[in-house]
C-alpha cells in the first residue's frame, strides 16, 4: 500500500463547528483502515479500526466511514471542542499488519 | 490496551554520536515496532522487532544505522547510530495486539546538532 493522502493538511475551526477530513488510499491489497488522534507530547491514540466496505463507526462526537472500493475514509467531528485539537492520522494496513500512515490533518479548534 | 513508556522523552545530541531509546510495555507482546516521523513527514516504519529473532527492517533502513534489541517480551531498544541532523525526528515504539490496532508509546523527540 503506497500513497496514503490526507486532506486538508491543516484546519482551523471555531468551537461548535462540525468538520470532516478525508483519507485516500489505494484499494488494492487492503486489509483494514486505522484512525489515530495524536496530541502534542502524547502517544497517538487509536480511534477506529474498520475493515468492511460501508463500515461506519462512532465514538462520542467523532465518527468515521469507509469505502474500500474507491479507497477513501472520512472522519467527522460534530460540534468541535478545543480538546479536539490534535493531528488526526489515517493508516491503511495490508494483511501483513503493517500500517502505512498519511501525513495527517492538524485540527485547531478556537474557543 | 497497553501502557507503553519510552526513555528518554527527548534529547539533543551532537552529530556523530549514538543514542539508544528504550521501550517498555506493561504486558508481554509478540511484535514490537519502531517508527520515526521526520519534520513534515509521515510516520514511517523502521523495523519490526520479534523476541528471539533479528529485527526485520523496512526498505531504506539498515541494521548498522538502527540496531534493535529485543531481549524479552516486554522490552526493546532502538539505537540511532552515527547521528546526523537528518536523524532529527520523533521516534515511537508500538505494539500489536492481534492486528486489531497498534498501541504507541509517547515518543522520543531527538534533535541532532
Amino acid at each position: 500500500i503506497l500513497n496514503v493522502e490526507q486532506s486538508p493538511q491543516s484546519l482551523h475551526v471555531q468551537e461548535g463547528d462540525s468538520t470532516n477530513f478525508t483519507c485516500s488510499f489505494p484499494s488494492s491489497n487492503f486489509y483494514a483502515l486505522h484512525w489515530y488522534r495524536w496530541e502534542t507530547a502524547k502517544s497517538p491514540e487509536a480511534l477506529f479500526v474498520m475493515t468492511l466496505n460501508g463500515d461506519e463507526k462512532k465514538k462520542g462526537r467523532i465518527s468515521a466511514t469507509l469505502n474500500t472500493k474507491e479507497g477513501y475514509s472520512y472522519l467527522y467531528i460534530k460540534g468541535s471542542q478545543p480538546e479536539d485539537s490534535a493531528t488526526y492520522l489515517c493508516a491503511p494496513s495490508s494483511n501483513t499488519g503493517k500500517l502505512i500512515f498519511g501525513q495527517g490533518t492538524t485540527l485547531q479548534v478556537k474557543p | 490496551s497497553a501502557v507503553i513508556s519510552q526513555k528518554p522523552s527527548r534529547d539533543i545530541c551532537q552529530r556523530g554520536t549514538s543514542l539508544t531509546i528504550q521501550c517498555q510495555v506493561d504486558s508481554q507482546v509478540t511484535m514490537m515496532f519502531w517508527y520515526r516521523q521526520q519534520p513534515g513527514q509521515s510516520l514511517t516504519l523502521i523495523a519490526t522487532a520479534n523476541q528471539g529473532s533479528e529485527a526485520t527492517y523496512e526498505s531504506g533502513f539498515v541494521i548498522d544505522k538502527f540496531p534493535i534489541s529485543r531481549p524479552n517480551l516486554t522490552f526493546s531498544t532502538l539505537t540511532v547510530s552515527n547521528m546526523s541532523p537528518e536523524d532529527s525526528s520523533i521516534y515511537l515504539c508500538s505494539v500489536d495486539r492481534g492486528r486489531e490496532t497498534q498501541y504507541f508509546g509517547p515518543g522520543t523527540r531527538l534533535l541532532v546538532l
Side-chain angles (χ1 to χ4, degrees):
Chain A
I1 296 178
L2 300 172
N3 299 329
V4 179
E5 295 186 2
Q6 292 189 245
S7 63
Q9 190 172 5
S10 64
L11 196 56
H12 292 76
V13 302
Q14 289 294 133
E15 182 175 356
D17 288 350
S18 293
T19 186
N20 64 85
F21 326 133
T22 304
C23 173
S24 301
F25 53 89
S27 54
S28 60
N29 204 27
F30 171 86
Y31 180 80
L33 192 285
H34 304 247
W35 279 101
Y36 286 86
R37 175 169 59 201
W38 193 5
E39 296 179 65
T40 303
K42 294 185 178 180
S43 307
E45 173 196 358
L47 290 175
F48 304 113
V49 181
M50 296 181 288
T51 56
L52 298 176
N53 185 46
D55 250 356
E56 289 189 33
K57 294 214 171 175
K58 188 174 180 182
K59 185 177 182 179
R61 294 178 291 99
I62 305 177
S63 59
T65 61
L66 178 65
N67 183 319
T68 60
K69 293 182 179 179
E70 296 182 37
Y72 65 83
S73 175
Y74 293 138
L75 186 79
Y76 301 91
I77 301 178
K78 184 178 178 181
S80 301
Q81 300 296 308
E83 57 265 30
D84 296 328
S85 298
T87 296
Y88 291 82
L89 303 171
C90 76
S93 61
S94 64
N95 56 7
T96 65
K98 291 180 186 176
L99 302 180
I100 307 295
F101 283 89
Q103 286 191 304
T105 294
T106 299
L107 173 67
Q108 282 282 346
V109 182
K110 298 176 185 177
Chain B
S1 64
V3 177
I4 304 169
S5 60
Q6 283 186 235
K7 290 182 182 179
S9 59
R10 59 179 65 241
D11 208 341
I12 301 173
C13 299
Q14 296 297 319
R15 68 175 67 207
T17 62
S18 298
L19 177 72
T20 295
I21 301 167
Q22 299 178 8
C23 179
Q24 179 75 53
V25 189
D26 66 339
S27 57
Q28 293 183 345
V29 292
T30 303
M31 297 176 76
M32 295 180 76
F33 305 88
W34 286 98
Y35 291 82
R36 77 172 179 188
Q37 186 188 43
Q38 293 176 301
Q41 303 297 312
S42 310
L43 262 178
T44 302
L45 181 64
I46 297 171
T48 303
N50 292 325
Q51 194 266 337
S53 63
E54 279 200 4
T56 303
Y57 289 83
E58 297 300 305
S59 175
F61 299 96
V62 295
I63 187 171
D64 289 346
K65 176 68 176 176
F66 297 102
I68 288 171
S69 78
R70 183 81 200 274
N72 58 53
L73 291 173
T74 63
F75 186 79
S76 178
T77 67
L78 170 78
T79 299
V80 186
S81 303
N82 188 25
M83 289 184 285
S84 67
E86 292 71 36
D87 294 319
S88 298
S89 298
I90 302 174
Y91 292 85
L92 296 106
C93 66
S94 73
V95 302
D96 188 326
R97 287 281 170 89
R99 294 186 187 166
E100 281 301 310
T101 194
Q102 285 185 21
Y103 298 94
F104 285 84
T108 295
R109 284 151 179 81
L110 172 62
L111 176 63
V112 184
L113 302 177

